CSV table of all heavy atoms in Angstrom, one decimal:
chain,number,residue,atom,x,y,z
A,1,VAL,N,99.5,144.1,50.3
A,1,VAL,CA,99.1,143.3,51.4
A,1,VAL,C,99.9,143.6,52.6
A,1,VAL,O,101.1,143.7,52.5
A,1,VAL,CB,99.2,141.8,51.1
A,1,VAL,CG1,98.8,141.0,52.3
A,1,VAL,CG2,98.4,141.4,49.9
A,2,GLN,N,99.2,143.8,53.8
A,2,GLN,CA,99.9,144.0,55.0
A,2,GLN,C,99.4,143.0,56.0
A,2,GLN,O,98.1,142.9,56.2
A,2,GLN,CB,99.7,145.4,55.5
A,2,GLN,CG,100.5,145.7,56.8
A,2,GLN,CD,100.4,147.2,57.3
A,2,GLN,OE1,99.6,148.0,56.7
A,2,GLN,NE2,101.1,147.5,58.3
A,3,LEU,N,100.3,142.4,56.7
A,3,LEU,CA,99.9,141.3,57.7
A,3,LEU,C,100.5,141.6,59.0
A,3,LEU,O,101.7,141.9,59.1
A,3,LEU,CB,100.4,140.0,57.2
A,3,LEU,CG,100.0,139.5,55.8
A,3,LEU,CD1,100.7,138.3,55.4
A,3,LEU,CD2,98.5,139.3,55.7
A,4,VAL,N,99.7,141.6,60.1
A,4,VAL,CA,100.2,142.0,61.4
A,4,VAL,C,99.7,140.9,62.4
A,4,VAL,O,98.5,140.7,62.6
A,4,VAL,CB,99.7,143.3,61.9
A,4,VAL,CG1,100.2,143.6,63.3
A,4,VAL,CG2,100.1,144.4,60.9
A,5,GLU,N,100.7,140.1,62.9
A,5,GLU,CA,100.4,139.0,63.9
A,5,GLU,C,100.3,139.6,65.3
A,5,GLU,O,100.9,140.6,65.7
A,5,GLU,CB,101.4,137.9,63.8
A,5,GLU,CG,101.6,137.3,62.4
A,5,GLU,CD,102.8,137.9,61.7
A,5,GLU,OE1,103.1,139.1,61.9
A,5,GLU,OE2,103.4,137.2,60.9
A,6,SER,N,99.5,138.8,66.1
A,6,SER,CA,99.4,139.1,67.5
A,6,SER,C,99.0,137.9,68.2
A,6,SER,O,98.5,136.9,67.6
A,6,SER,CB,98.5,140.3,67.8
A,6,SER,OG,97.2,139.9,67.4
A,7,GLY,N,99.1,137.9,69.6
A,7,GLY,CA,98.6,136.8,70.4
A,7,GLY,C,99.7,135.8,70.9
A,7,GLY,O,99.4,134.9,71.7
A,8,GLY,N,100.9,136.0,70.5
A,8,GLY,CA,102.0,135.2,71.0
A,8,GLY,C,102.3,135.5,72.5
A,8,GLY,O,101.8,136.4,73.1
A,9,GLY,N,103.1,134.6,73.1
A,9,GLY,CA,103.5,134.8,74.5
A,9,GLY,C,104.0,133.5,75.1
A,9,GLY,O,104.4,132.6,74.4
A,10,LEU,N,104.1,133.5,76.4
A,10,LEU,CA,104.6,132.4,77.2
A,10,LEU,C,103.5,131.6,77.7
A,10,LEU,O,102.6,132.1,78.3
A,10,LEU,CB,105.5,132.9,78.3
A,10,LEU,CG,106.1,131.8,79.3
A,10,LEU,CD1,107.0,130.9,78.5
A,10,LEU,CD2,106.8,132.5,80.4
A,11,VAL,N,103.6,130.3,77.5
A,11,VAL,CA,102.6,129.4,77.9
A,11,VAL,C,103.2,128.1,78.4
A,11,VAL,O,104.2,127.6,77.9
A,11,VAL,CB,101.5,129.1,76.8
A,11,VAL,CG1,102.2,128.3,75.7
A,11,VAL,CG2,100.3,128.3,77.4
A,12,GLN,N,102.6,127.4,79.4
A,12,GLN,CA,103.1,126.2,79.9
A,12,GLN,C,102.7,125.0,79.1
A,12,GLN,O,101.7,125.1,78.3
A,12,GLN,CB,102.6,125.9,81.4
A,12,GLN,CG,103.1,126.9,82.4
A,12,GLN,CD,102.7,126.6,83.8
A,12,GLN,OE1,102.2,125.5,84.1
A,12,GLN,NE2,102.9,127.5,84.7
A,13,PRO,N,103.5,123.9,79.1
A,13,PRO,CA,103.1,122.7,78.3
A,13,PRO,C,101.7,122.3,78.6
A,13,PRO,O,101.3,122.3,79.8
A,13,PRO,CB,104.1,121.7,78.7
A,13,PRO,CG,105.3,122.5,79.1
A,13,PRO,CD,104.8,123.7,79.8
A,14,GLY,N,101.0,122.0,77.6
A,14,GLY,CA,99.6,121.6,77.7
A,14,GLY,C,98.6,122.7,77.6
A,14,GLY,O,97.4,122.5,77.5
A,15,GLY,N,99.1,123.9,77.5
A,15,GLY,CA,98.3,125.1,77.5
A,15,GLY,C,97.8,125.4,76.1
A,15,GLY,O,98.1,124.7,75.1
A,16,SER,N,97.2,126.6,75.9
A,16,SER,CA,96.6,127.0,74.7
A,16,SER,C,96.9,128.4,74.4
A,16,SER,O,97.0,129.2,75.3
A,16,SER,CB,95.0,126.8,74.7
A,16,SER,OG,94.7,125.4,74.9
A,17,LEU,N,96.9,128.8,73.1
A,17,LEU,CA,97.0,130.1,72.6
A,17,LEU,C,96.3,130.3,71.3
A,17,LEU,O,96.1,129.3,70.6
A,17,LEU,CB,98.5,130.5,72.4
A,17,LEU,CG,99.4,130.9,73.6
A,17,LEU,CD1,100.8,131.1,73.1
A,17,LEU,CD2,98.9,132.1,74.3
A,18,ARG,N,95.8,131.5,71.1
A,18,ARG,CA,95.2,131.8,69.8
A,18,ARG,C,96.0,133.0,69.2
A,18,ARG,O,96.0,134.1,69.7
A,18,ARG,CB,93.8,132.1,69.9
A,18,ARG,CG,93.1,132.2,68.5
A,18,ARG,CD,91.6,132.3,68.5
A,18,ARG,NE,91.1,133.7,68.8
A,18,ARG,CZ,89.9,134.1,68.5
A,18,ARG,NH1,89.0,133.3,67.9
A,18,ARG,NH2,89.5,135.3,68.8
A,19,LEU,N,96.5,132.7,68.0
A,19,LEU,CA,97.2,133.7,67.3
A,19,LEU,C,96.3,134.4,66.3
A,19,LEU,O,95.4,133.7,65.7
A,19,LEU,CB,98.4,133.2,66.5
A,19,LEU,CG,99.4,132.4,67.3
A,19,LEU,CD1,100.6,131.9,66.4
A,19,LEU,CD2,100.0,133.2,68.5
A,20,SER,N,96.5,135.7,66.1
A,20,SER,CA,95.6,136.4,65.1
A,20,SER,C,96.5,137.1,64.1
A,20,SER,O,97.7,137.5,64.4
A,20,SER,CB,94.8,137.5,65.8
A,20,SER,OG,93.9,136.8,66.7
A,21,CYS,N,96.0,137.2,62.9
A,21,CYS,CA,96.7,138.0,61.8
A,21,CYS,C,95.8,138.9,61.2
A,21,CYS,O,94.8,138.5,60.5
A,21,CYS,CB,97.3,137.0,60.8
A,21,CYS,SG,98.0,137.7,59.3
A,22,ALA,N,96.0,140.2,61.4
A,22,ALA,CA,95.1,141.2,60.7
A,22,ALA,C,95.6,141.4,59.3
A,22,ALA,O,96.8,141.7,59.0
A,22,ALA,CB,95.2,142.5,61.5
A,23,VAL,N,94.6,141.4,58.4
A,23,VAL,CA,94.9,141.4,57.0
A,23,VAL,C,94.4,142.7,56.3
A,23,VAL,O,93.2,143.0,56.5
A,23,VAL,CB,94.3,140.2,56.2
A,23,VAL,CG1,94.7,140.2,54.8
A,23,VAL,CG2,94.8,138.9,56.9
A,24,SER,N,95.2,143.4,55.6
A,24,SER,CA,94.7,144.5,54.8
A,24,SER,C,95.3,144.3,53.4
A,24,SER,O,96.5,144.0,53.3
A,24,SER,CB,95.1,145.8,55.4
A,24,SER,OG,96.6,146.0,55.5
A,25,ARG,N,94.5,144.6,52.4
A,25,ARG,CA,95.0,144.4,51.1
A,25,ARG,C,94.4,145.5,50.1
A,25,ARG,O,93.4,146.1,50.4
A,25,ARG,CB,94.6,143.0,50.6
A,25,ARG,CG,93.1,142.7,50.6
A,25,ARG,CD,92.8,141.3,50.2
A,25,ARG,NE,91.4,140.9,50.3
A,25,ARG,CZ,90.5,141.1,49.4
A,25,ARG,NH1,90.9,141.5,48.2
A,25,ARG,NH2,89.2,140.8,49.6
A,26,ARG,N,95.1,145.7,49.1
A,26,ARG,CA,94.8,146.6,48.1
A,26,ARG,C,95.1,146.1,46.7
A,26,ARG,O,96.2,145.8,46.4
A,26,ARG,CB,95.5,148.0,48.4
A,26,ARG,CG,95.1,149.1,47.4
A,26,ARG,CD,95.9,150.4,47.7
A,26,ARG,NE,95.6,151.4,46.8
A,26,ARG,CZ,96.2,152.6,46.9
A,26,ARG,NH1,97.0,152.9,47.8
A,26,ARG,NH2,95.9,153.5,46.0
A,27,ARG,N,94.1,146.0,45.9
A,27,ARG,CA,94.2,145.6,44.5
A,27,ARG,C,94.9,144.2,44.5
A,27,ARG,O,95.8,144.0,43.6
A,27,ARG,CB,95.0,146.6,43.7
A,27,ARG,CG,94.3,148.0,43.6
A,27,ARG,CD,95.1,148.9,42.7
A,27,ARG,NE,95.2,148.4,41.4
A,27,ARG,CZ,96.0,148.9,40.4
A,27,ARG,NH1,96.8,149.9,40.7
A,27,ARG,NH2,95.9,148.3,39.2
A,28,PHE,N,94.6,143.3,45.4
A,28,PHE,CA,95.2,142.1,45.5
A,28,PHE,C,94.2,141.0,45.9
A,28,PHE,O,93.5,141.2,46.8
A,28,PHE,CB,96.4,142.1,46.5
A,28,PHE,CG,97.3,140.9,46.5
A,28,PHE,CD1,98.4,141.0,45.7
A,28,PHE,CD2,97.1,139.8,47.3
A,28,PHE,CE1,99.3,139.9,45.6
A,28,PHE,CE2,97.9,138.8,47.2
A,28,PHE,CZ,99.1,138.8,46.4
A,29,ASN,N,94.2,139.9,45.1
A,29,ASN,CA,93.3,138.8,45.4
A,29,ASN,C,94.1,137.7,46.1
A,29,ASN,O,95.1,137.2,45.5
A,29,ASN,CB,92.6,138.3,44.2
A,29,ASN,CG,91.6,139.2,43.6
A,29,ASN,OD1,90.9,139.9,44.3
A,29,ASN,ND2,91.5,139.3,42.3
A,30,ILE,N,93.7,137.3,47.3
A,30,ILE,CA,94.4,136.3,48.1
A,30,ILE,C,93.9,134.9,47.7
A,30,ILE,O,92.7,134.7,47.8
A,30,ILE,CB,94.3,136.6,49.5
A,30,ILE,CG1,95.0,137.9,49.9
A,30,ILE,CG2,94.9,135.4,50.3
A,30,ILE,CD1,94.9,138.3,51.4
A,31,ASN,N,94.7,134.0,47.3
A,31,ASN,CA,94.3,132.7,47.0
A,31,ASN,C,94.4,131.7,48.2
A,31,ASN,O,93.6,130.8,48.3
A,31,ASN,CB,95.2,132.1,45.8
A,31,ASN,CG,95.0,132.8,44.5
A,31,ASN,OD1,93.9,133.3,44.2
A,31,ASN,ND2,96.0,132.9,43.7
A,32,ALA,N,95.4,132.0,49.0
A,32,ALA,CA,95.6,131.1,50.2
A,32,ALA,C,96.4,131.9,51.3
A,32,ALA,O,97.1,132.8,51.0
A,32,ALA,CB,96.4,129.9,49.8
A,33,MET,N,96.2,131.5,52.5
A,33,MET,CA,96.9,132.1,53.6
A,33,MET,C,97.4,130.9,54.5
A,33,MET,O,96.8,129.8,54.5
A,33,MET,CB,96.0,133.0,54.4
A,33,MET,CG,95.5,134.2,53.7
A,33,MET,SD,94.8,135.5,54.8
A,33,MET,CE,96.3,136.0,55.6
A,34,GLY,N,98.4,131.2,55.3
A,34,GLY,CA,99.0,130.2,56.1
A,34,GLY,C,99.7,130.7,57.3
A,34,GLY,O,100.1,131.9,57.4
A,35,TRP,N,100.0,129.8,58.2
A,35,TRP,CA,100.9,130.1,59.3
A,35,TRP,C,102.1,129.3,59.2
A,35,TRP,O,102.1,128.0,59.0
A,35,TRP,CB,100.2,129.7,60.7
A,35,TRP,CG,99.1,130.7,61.1
A,35,TRP,CD1,97.8,130.5,60.9
A,35,TRP,CD2,99.3,131.9,61.7
A,35,TRP,NE1,97.1,131.6,61.4
A,35,TRP,CE2,98.0,132.5,61.9
A,35,TRP,CE3,100.4,132.6,62.2
A,35,TRP,CZ2,97.8,133.7,62.6
A,35,TRP,CZ3,100.2,133.8,62.9
A,35,TRP,CH2,98.9,134.4,63.0
A,36,TYR,N,103.3,129.9,59.3
A,36,TYR,CA,104.6,129.3,59.3
A,36,TYR,C,105.2,129.5,60.7
A,36,TYR,O,104.9,130.5,61.4
A,36,TYR,CB,105.5,129.8,58.2
A,36,TYR,CG,105.1,129.5,56.8
A,36,TYR,CD1,103.9,130.0,56.2
A,36,TYR,CD2,105.8,128.6,56.0
A,36,TYR,CE1,103.5,129.7,54.9
A,36,TYR,CE2,105.5,128.3,54.7
A,36,TYR,CZ,104.3,128.8,54.2
A,36,TYR,OH,104.0,128.5,52.9
A,37,ARG,N,106.2,128.7,61.0
A,37,ARG,CA,107.0,129.0,62.2
A,37,ARG,C,108.5,128.7,61.9
A,37,ARG,O,108.8,127.9,61.1
A,37,ARG,CB,106.5,128.1,63.3
A,37,ARG,CG,106.7,126.6,63.2
A,37,ARG,CD,106.0,125.9,64.4
A,37,ARG,NE,106.2,124.4,64.3
A,37,ARG,CZ,105.6,123.6,65.1
A,37,ARG,NH1,104.7,124.0,66.0
A,37,ARG,NH2,105.8,122.3,65.0
A,38,GLN,N,109.3,129.3,62.7
A,38,GLN,CA,110.7,129.1,62.6
A,38,GLN,C,111.4,129.2,64.0
A,38,GLN,O,111.3,130.2,64.7
A,38,GLN,CB,111.3,130.2,61.7
A,38,GLN,CG,112.8,130.0,61.4
A,38,GLN,CD,113.3,131.0,60.3
A,38,GLN,OE1,112.7,132.0,60.1
A,38,GLN,NE2,114.4,130.6,59.6
A,39,ALA,N,112.0,128.1,64.4
A,39,ALA,CA,112.7,128.0,65.6
A,39,ALA,C,114.2,128.4,65.3
A,39,ALA,O,114.7,128.3,64.2
A,39,ALA,CB,112.6,126.6,66.2
A,40,PRO,N,114.9,128.8,66.3
A,40,PRO,CA,116.3,129.2,66.2
A,40,PRO,C,117.1,128.1,65.5
A,40,PRO,O,117.1,127.0,65.9
A,40,PRO,CB,116.8,129.5,67.6
A,40,PRO,CG,115.6,129.9,68.3
A,40,PRO,CD,114.5,129.0,67.8
A,41,GLY,N,117.9,128.5,64.5
A,41,GLY,CA,118.7,127.5,63.8
A,41,GLY,C,118.0,126.5,62.9
A,41,GLY,O,118.6,125.6,62.3
A,42,GLN,N,116.7,126.7,62.7
A,42,GLN,CA,115.9,125.8,61.9
A,42,GLN,C,115.3,126.5,60.7
A,42,GLN,O,115.2,127.8,60.7
A,42,GLN,CB,114.8,125.1,62.7
A,42,GLN,CG,115.4,124.3,63.9
A,42,GLN,CD,114.3,123.5,64.6
A,42,GLN,OE1,113.2,123.3,64.0
A,42,GLN,NE2,114.6,123.1,65.8
A,43,GLN,N,114.9,125.8,59.7
A,43,GLN,CA,114.2,126.3,58.5
A,43,GLN,C,112.8,126.7,58.9
A,43,GLN,O,112.2,126.1,59.8
A,43,GLN,CB,114.2,125.3,57.4
A,43,GLN,CG,115.6,124.9,56.9
A,43,GLN,CD,116.1,125.9,55.9
A,43,GLN,OE1,115.6,127.0,55.7
A,43,GLN,NE2,117.3,125.6,55.3
A,44,ARG,N,112.3,127.7,58.2
A,44,ARG,CA,110.9,128.1,58.4
A,44,ARG,C,110.0,127.0,57.8
A,44,ARG,O,110.2,126.5,56.6
A,44,ARG,CB,110.6,129.4,57.7
A,44,ARG,CG,109.2,130.0,58.0
A,44,ARG,CD,109.1,131.4,57.5
A,44,ARG,NE,110.1,132.3,58.1
A,44,ARG,CZ,110.1,133.6,57.9
A,44,ARG,NH1,109.2,134.2,57.1
A,44,ARG,NH2,111.0,134.4,58.5
A,45,GLU,N,109.0,126.6,58.5
A,45,GLU,CA,108.1,125.5,58.0
A,45,GLU,C,106.7,125.9,58.1
A,45,GLU,O,106.3,126.7,58.9
A,45,GLU,CB,108.4,124.2,58.9
A,45,GLU,CG,107.9,124.4,60.4
A,45,GLU,CD,108.0,123.1,61.2
A,45,GLU,OE1,108.2,122.0,60.6
A,45,GLU,OE2,107.8,123.2,62.4
């Protein structure tokens, strides 16, 4: 499995963004996918 994110950037409060994740897989069945985030000094959630 290879995952490549895109779409991040700088936005003002109240704004919108759409993130994309390009998925390629080989001999692998995906059961679930998700988005996680990690701020500096914090756990990935």
Side-chain angles (χ1 to χ4, degrees):
V1 179
Q2 184 176 4
L3 308 171
V4 180
E5 301 96 331
S6 62
L10 176 65
V11 64
Q12 295 187 11
S16 300
L17 281 175
R18 188 170 83 158
L19 306 182
S20 299
C21 174
V23 182
S24 63
R25 58 186 175 91
R26 180 179 178 183
R27 300 183 63 192
F28 193 89
N29 290 325
I30 296 175
N31 295 325
M33 299 192 68
W35 288 96
Y36 291 72
R37 68 186 181 187
Q38 186 170 24
Q42 300 184 20
Q43 298 279 5
R44 188 171 299 184
E45 64 174 350

